Amino acid sequence: NAGVTQTPKFQVLKTGQSMTLQCAQDMNHEYMSWYRQDPGMGLRLIHYSVGAGITDQGEVPNGYNVSRSTTEDFPLRLLSAAPSQTSVYFCASSYSIRYSGNTIYFGEGSWLTVV
Amino acid sequence: DAKTTQPNSMESNEEEPVHLPCNHSTISGTDYIHWYRQLPSQGPEYVIHGLTSNVNNRMASLAIAEDRKSSTLILHRATLRDAAVYYCILRSAGAGGTSYGKLTFGQGTILTVHP
């Protein structure tokens, strides 16, 4: 049981490049989400998914796409990277959103720098 | 969405108890109160959660006010490893509504533990 696995851990991109941050969980969790955390700030929700084939926008979705083709994977795509997307990205998952007492598990983070 | 208010920072001495407060005056009846903490350069980790009654686990205790408009995370004997940012989060149950599946982080409380 590896929990929530994010790759890559570190990435440097040039402005305008695209890339995908990978997130996988092996706990059969329904709920998965992506957050970004800027220096000195709390986490802000980018996109989330409540099951395979279902995604929705969070607080700061612009510039990012997601898909959920399987229960296990929830990749985050940066379409055309901008310096404003320099941040630390966290993937999170939990078993079911129908019960709000479920623990949320976070990945270790992906540090992204856009130059 | 219901919001939480926490002090920006608190300090404690090692092996002393720490009481971290959180106000959530707009909490709804089905919102669970979750606490997570984030150590430097790591993803948030679960500490404790509760609905109405006080809760204890090996890491901490959670005291919930009778009207549920506030709660307190209690670390019984702070250690240097407890130095982190502590987030108080309200999590709504799924099954529809604008808060479906969402988790909102505030700024959190930076806990400093002195040796």
Side-chain angles (χ1 to χ4, degrees):
Chain A
N1 188 333
V4 179
T5 304
Q6 289 182 233
T7 56
K9 192 168 180 68
F10 300 99
Q11 182 72 49
V12 178
L13 282 180
K14 293 182 179 178
T15 298
Q17 285 185 318
S18 63
M19 77 157 297
T20 299
L21 298 176
Q22 302 290 345
C23 177
Q25 51 87 12
D26 60 358
M27 298 173 281
N28 199 31
H29 284 175
E30 288 184 352
Y31 177 84
M32 296 186 74
S33 57
W34 277 101
Y35 292 85
R36 61 175 287 174
Q37 185 173 35
D38 299 316
M41 297 183 66
L43 281 73
R44 292 185 292 169
L45 182 65
I46 304 171
H47 285 285
Y48 66 99
S49 168
V50 299
I54 307 169
T55 63
D56 205 349
Q57 296 181 351
E59 183 184 354
V60 288
N62 292 341
Y64 307 94
N65 271 359
V66 292
S67 60
R68 185 95 179 270
S69 57
T70 66
T71 300
E72 295 77 19
D73 301 298
F74 191 47
L76 177 73
R77 296 183 191 85
L78 280 71
L79 308 173
S80 177
S84 61
Q85 293 178 303
T86 294
S87 190
V88 184
Y89 292 84
F90 292 99
C91 180
S93 74
S94 72
Y95 180 62
S96 170
I97 56 88
R98 283 179 289 280
Y99 170 53
S100 57
N102 283 306
T103 299
I104 299 163
Y105 297 85
F106 288 85
E108 294 186 345
S110 295
W111 273 255
L112 177 67
T113 302
V114 183
V115 297
Chain B
D1 295 339
K3 295 193 185 302
T4 62
T5 304
Q6 300 176 250
N8 289 334
S9 62
M10 293 187 66
E11 297 187 15
S12 173
N13 293 318
E14 206 172 4
E15 300 200 1
E16 289 184 354
V18 181
H19 291 233
L20 298 166
C22 181
N23 287 322
H24 29 78
S25 58
T26 60
I27 190 170
S28 72
T30 57
D31 287 346
Y32 270 79
I33 302 159
H34 286 246
W35 283 82
Y36 287 76
R37 73 179 186 182
Q38 186 175 23
L39 294 116
S41 299
Q42 294 189 27
E45 65 173 351
Y46 170 79
V47 177
I48 201 167
H49 75 279
L51 184 62
T52 56
S53 303
N54 294 344
V55 184
N56 299 299
N57 66 22
R58 64 174 181 81
M59 290 181 68
S61 296
L62 176 60
I64 301 172
E66 197 169 335
D67 63 6
R68 299 205 333 122
K69 293 185 177 182
S70 65
S71 61
T72 302
L73 177 70
I74 302 165
L75 306 178
H76 296 286
R77 292 182 64 191
T79 70
L80 297 179
R81 289 173 295 178
D82 291 323
V85 180
Y86 286 80
Y87 295 100
C88 168
I89 302 158
L90 301 183
R91 189 166 189 214
S92 300
T98 57
S99 59
Y100 187 64
K102 292 183 181 179
L103 191 69
T104 301
F105 283 78
Q107 298 269 18
T109 297
I110 301 171
L111 175 65
T112 301
V113 181
H114 299 289

